[in-house]
Amino acid sequence: MIKRANSYIYRMRSTLFFIFFICSILGVWAQSDRLARNFFDQGEFEKALKVYEQLLEEKPEHTAYFFGVVQSHQQLENFKKAEELLRQRLNNSANNPTLLIELGHNYELQQNTQRATKFYEEALSAINARPNYAYSIARTFQKYSLLSNAAAAYEKAMELNSELNYNIQLARIYGEQGKTELMFKNYLELIEANPDFFPIANREFGKYISADASSETNTVFRRLLLTKLQQNPSLLYNEMLSWLFIQEKEFLKAFSQEKAIYKRSDKGLQAILNLAFAAREASNFEAALEIVEYIIEEAPSENLVLQGNQFLLQIQLEQEDESAYQDIEKKYTKLLEEYGDGLNTLALQIDFANFLAFKQHKQERAIALLKELSEKAGSNFDKAVVKLSLADILVLQEKFNEALIYYSQVQNLVKNHQISQNARYKVAKTSYFKGDFKWAKQQLDILKSSTSQLIANDAMELSLLIEDNSIEDTTQTALKKYARADLLAFQEKSLEAIQLLGEILSVHKGEKIEDEALLKQAQLFEETGQALKAKDNYLRIIKNFKSDILSDNAHYYLAELYANQLENREEAKKYYEQIIFNFADSIYFVEARKKYRALRGDYQETP
């Protein structure tokens, strides 16, 4: 027994030693591989060559090491040696036409286009015998941006073997070449064969389709879809046309397509409801109203009719001024009489309470309504939603301590939900309104890592505001005034907030708070229809605070102002462009680039 045990232990030790030895060898190779790549990336090609040659000697069949040696020689302009290595490998390998492309590229580097073309053609001709080679051949051509050759490889293979399908690869190549019509045709073939591919293709379409309905790319795509729809009245083409019209903000045209889908399928009204939300988000209230009225007429359930009517009231509130508030209150009351004040109308009751508090200045009535609703709420989620609104109204009344209690209750009710993080942010914001900046900043710094990007960004901005305006001014006088102006804006007392911000700009000129006050005031100018004053504020930030953190905000907001309110496309384009070239790390970078390209008319089809 003892001998067997000793033998087992010996075998285990031997096995473990062997595993350790193999891992050590693999670790050394991995380190050497990284070292070679680092040398190559840093332009130290002689050092890279030596390491790659050592690696290749140890593992002669390793493709990456072989091409590391070849490319190092090419960078050192040892083209004859690179050719010798490529020819040697070509002679020793069975049927590897990609090496012909590598030889052609070696001649391309020597400006010998004629010899390069000869090798490229030879590689393409290999597809005649074996169409399956097309993928590796095309990928190698793509590696050197030889897109026409890559496309030719795929096209030839599909011609020779009808079972091969390289439509997706071809579509991407056509897109890179600017051949948008061919690209769209290939994607449409893919979608026709498999409708589930539509969401994937949409992501690709989004790179080329813009909000400009008159652009060449949009026109090509629209024409293709309409032609397809005439030839084959498939709902698939209605869906794609609807998607296109939404990108172009043509919501009523999208609505026509969605109605056709609804009438000819068993799909419900959700897509049409989503369209109404999109129209409202784009401030196209006319389209949103028409769409929602249709939903109410067609709704198969009372719940959907209720949602539709609630939506109509939300739109009316966004459009109307104080003169319509009495009428809106009557409509809320009528709906609640019709549908009751149970949990089925919870969202409507919260909307009504917010309307009473923020628009009608009937905070006590709103609070009483929400407290009663909180007692009825069955789930923790429903209670949290009600209490969040209740706390907001208490902040509106400047009952900060009571509001903080409710926000804390929300956090405990839904600990792992985004509502909890939102409540935590509101705790910090309420503390900031109170002037308790130290506690507010502690909470905000925790929220910088929030899973919600929006909350994380807001937390970071408010934390920086507090920090920047607490260092030089230990009394935090300017910051207290700014927090008061911020509270006035929350209370929808925009004109009072504008006036107080003006006082800050006058009394605290040259202090850290100045750019923040200019930005906040500009946003309030926009809300109150004073676009030219907003423009002046943004320009002051750009001129006087060009290296500060708010400069990219000012550029983006000014671009949006020119694009949407002042209707000056050229000026809008100029400020979007500034973000692209000067603020690559801005949170507005991606959106600015997209909007700039749309205004510039990118994605035009090239011959």
Side-chain angles (χ1 to χ4, degrees):
M1 285 289 291
I2 294 170
K3 283 184 180 179
R4 265 187 291 183
N6 288 339
S7 173
Y8 174 75
I9 291 167
Y10 175 77
R11 285 199 307 274
M12 284 296 294
R13 283 177 178 171
S14 299
T15 303
L16 289 169
F17 176 79
F18 178 73
I19 291 169
F20 177 76
F21 175 74
I22 292 298
C23 289
S24 300
I25 294 294
L26 290 171
V28 169
W29 274 336
Q31 287 176 358
S32 298
D33 187 7
R34 282 196 296 271
L35 182 64
R37 278 188 275 119
N38 285 339
F39 280 142
F40 192 92
D41 292 341
Q42 292 165 15
E44 298 187 54
F45 302 116
E46 288 184 358
K47 291 180 182 178
L49 177 61
K50 286 179 183 177
V51 180
Y52 275 128
E53 284 177 334
Q54 289 172 1
L55 288 166
L56 188 62
E57 190 176 341
E58 292 168 1
K59 298 186 79 174
E61 299 306 316
H62 200 293
T63 306
Y65 299 157
F66 171 74
F67 282 111
V69 171
V70 170
Q71 287 163 9
S72 296
H73 277 303
Q74 288 171 337
Q75 291 294 333
L76 294 166
E77 298 188 3
N78 300 332
F79 297 116
K80 286 188 178 178
K81 182 62 180 175
E83 182 177 356
E84 181 187 322
L85 290 167
L86 288 166
R87 285 188 180 277
Q88 186 180 345
R89 178 148 295 212
L90 181 64
N91 293 334
N92 293 336
S93 64
N95 299 319
N96 190 353
T98 61
L99 289 167
L100 295 168
I101 301 169
E102 299 290 351
L103 278 163
H105 176 65
N106 197 57
Y107 278 107
E108 196 91 63
L109 292 171
Q110 299 170 70
Q111 310 300 318
N112 192 338
T113 307
Q114 191 174 356
R115 290 294 300 277
T117 302
K118 181 184 173 185
F119 281 107
Y120 297 153
E121 288 174 350
E122 194 177 338
L124 283 169
S125 67
I127 297 170
N128 291 326
R130 297 197 177 183
N132 288 334
Y133 281 166
Y135 184 78
S136 58
I137 289 170
R139 293 288 293 174
T140 310
F141 278 131
Q142 282 179 269
K143 183 169 76 172
Y144 298 119
S145 298
L146 299 166
L147 299 180
S148 295
N149 287 332
Y154 287 130
E155 288 164 350
K156 180 181 277 195
M158 288 173 68
E159 208 175 294
L160 292 166
N161 184 348
S162 59
E163 292 183 6
L164 293 173
N165 187 336
Y166 295 120
N167 278 319
I168 189 166
Q169 290 85 358
L170 276 169
R172 285 172 179 159
I173 291 171
Y174 293 146
E176 288 181 55
Q177 290 177 304
K179 298 178 178 178
T180 50
E181 184 160 0
L182 281 172
M183 177 194 73
F184 287 135
K185 280 181 177 177
N186 275 60
Y187 276 128
L188 288 177
E189 284 183 30
L190 282 162
I191 295 166
E192 286 161 3
N194 180 11
D196 291 340
F197 185 75
F198 181 41
I200 300 167
N202 261 2
R203 289 197 289 273
E204 294 298 319
F205 295 157
K207 296 176 184 176
Y208 303 93
I209 295 298
S210 71
D212 182 5
S214 64
S215 74
E216 179 68 20
T217 309
N218 287 43
T219 303
V220 166
F221 190 41
R222 187 165 53 252
R223 186 179 66 241
L224 277 172
L225 290 174
L226 289 169
T227 302
K228 290 276 189 182
L229 191 60
Q230 287 171 356
Q231 294 169 349
N232 174 18
S234 167
L235 293 178
L236 185 64
Y237 304 123
N238 295 106
E239 287 178 20
M240 283 189 273
L241 276 166
S242 175
W243 176 86
L244 175 61
F245 290 136
I246 291 169
Q247 309 315 303
E248 296 172 347
K249 311 296 183 190
E250 297 278 3
F251 296 106
L252 290 178
K253 289 182 180 178
F255 179 39
S256 295
Q257 301 302 319
E258 291 297 342
K259 278 195 291 187
I261 295 165
Y262 172 68
K263 288 174 180 175
R264 292 172 50 206
S265 71
D266 57 357
K267 292 183 179 180
L269 288 161
Q270 188 59 50
I272 298 179
L273 188 60
N274 292 342
L275 182 61
F277 287 130
R280 177 189 169 194
E281 186 71 23
S283 297
N284 190 335
F285 299 118
E286 185 183 345
L289 285 168
E290 186 173 332
I291 296 165
V292 173
E293 283 166 359
Y294 178 81
I295 291 169
I296 292 169
E297 286 175 17
E298 295 288 324
S301 68
E302 275 195 354
N303 186 47
L304 200 52
V305 173
L306 175 62
Q307 284 184 57
N309 279 294
Q310 184 180 349
F311 189 90
L312 286 176
L313 282 170
Q314 290 168 352
I315 293 173
Q316 190 177 354
L317 258 177
E318 290 181 52
Q319 285 186 291
E320 304 282 0
D321 58 20
E322 291 181 23
S323 61
Y325 288 171
Q326 194 172 352
D327 176 56
I328 292 171
E329 184 174 345
K330 285 178 182 176
K331 287 180 178 177
Y332 270 119
T333 305
K334 186 179 177 183
L335 277 175
L336 288 168
E337 285 172 358
E338 185 177 350
Y339 291 96
D341 58 357
L343 293 179
N344 62 312
T345 60
L346 183 138
L348 180 68
Q349 290 181 74
I350 291 173
D351 272 7
F352 184 42
N354 285 326
F355 166 74
L356 289 172
F358 285 89
K359 302 296 184 183
Q360 293 285 69
H361 310 296
K362 298 177 181 178
Q363 286 94 1
E364 293 304 327
R365 186 179 164 194
I367 288 170
L369 190 158
L370 289 173
K371 283 184 176 179
E372 187 181 339
L373 190 58
S374 176
E375 293 298 318
K376 293 178 188 174
S379 70
N380 284 348
F381 180 84
D382 285 349
K383 285 179 182 177
V385 172
V386 174
K387 290 190 176 193
L388 195 68
S389 291
L390 181 54
D392 288 346
I393 294 169
L394 290 166
V395 172
L396 181 68
Q397 290 184 305
E398 300 184 36
K399 295 179 179 178
F400 300 127
N401 292 334
E402 196 176 345
L404 288 169
I405 292 168
Y406 280 104
Y407 285 136
S408 298
Q409 288 176 4
V410 171
Q411 290 180 71
N412 291 326
L413 284 165
V414 284
K415 287 182 179 178
N416 298 315
H417 197 279
Q418 189 172 313
I419 292 174
S420 176
Q421 292 184 43
N422 190 18
R424 189 166 198 163
Y425 175 73
K426 291 190 175 194
V427 165
K429 193 79 184 271
T430 304
S431 300
Y432 152 80
F433 287 148
K434 281 179 66 181
D436 190 353
F437 301 124
K438 185 178 178 181
W439 172 249
K441 190 174 184 310
Q442 286 176 6
Q443 299 302 303
L444 292 165
D445 288 342
I446 294 168
L447 283 165
K448 286 180 189 177
S449 57
S450 169
T451 52
S452 164
Q453 193 59 52
L454 183 62
I455 291 173
N457 289 339
D458 288 345
M460 183 176 66
E461 286 182 10
L462 188 53
S463 175
L464 282 170
L465 170 73
I466 294 169
E467 184 178 344
D468 288 348
N469 292 283
S470 301
I471 297 169
E472 293 177 4
D473 180 9
T474 53
T475 62
Q476 300 171 320
T477 306
L479 182 59
K480 287 173 184 174
K481 289 181 184 177
Y482 183 88
R484 180 65 190 170
D486 209 352
L487 177 61
L488 287 169
F490 174 75
Q491 293 170 328
E492 299 194 7
K493 298 174 181 177
S494 299
L495 296 178
E496 289 180 48
I498 288 169
Q499 187 177 352
L500 182 52
L501 289 163
E503 181 188 316
I504 293 169
L505 291 168
S506 175
V507 176
H508 300 277
K509 186 174 177 60
E511 295 182 25
K512 280 277 189 182
I513 201 78
E514 188 178 357
D515 59 340
E516 293 280 0
L518 281 167
L519 188 72
K520 185 72 179 177
Q521 193 183 52
Q523 291 171 313
L524 291 169
F525 279 142
E526 282 198 60
E527 286 178 20
T528 52
Q530 302 177 73
L532 293 177
K533 287 184 178 180
K535 181 191 79 170
D536 290 341
N537 274 32
Y538 292 136
L539 288 170
R540 281 172 67 184
I541 296 169
I542 291 166
K543 181 182 177 183
N544 301 322
F545 303 93
K546 58 181 71 176
S547 59
D548 282 12
I549 196 167
L550 294 182
S551 184
D552 64 321
N553 298 59
H555 277 86
Y556 184 77
Y557 296 153
L558 183 54
E560 290 283 282
L561 188 67
Y562 274 122
N564 301 316
Q565 292 190 47
L566 300 177
E567 297 183 354
N568 188 330
R569 291 165 60 95
E570 287 305 310
E571 285 296 307
K573 191 167 70 174
K574 183 172 84 174
Y575 287 101
Y576 285 133
E577 186 179 39
Q578 288 291 315
I579 294 171
I580 296 165
F581 290 113
N582 300 323
F583 302 97
D585 58 346
S586 170
I587 60 170
Y588 303 108
F589 178 83
V590 173
E591 201 62 27
R593 182 174 60 185
K594 182 180 176 182
K595 291 179 177 180
Y596 171 74
R597 287 176 173 175
L599 289 172
R600 193 175 65 177
D602 281 13
Y603 318 127
Q604 304 295 321
E605 186 166 18
T606 56

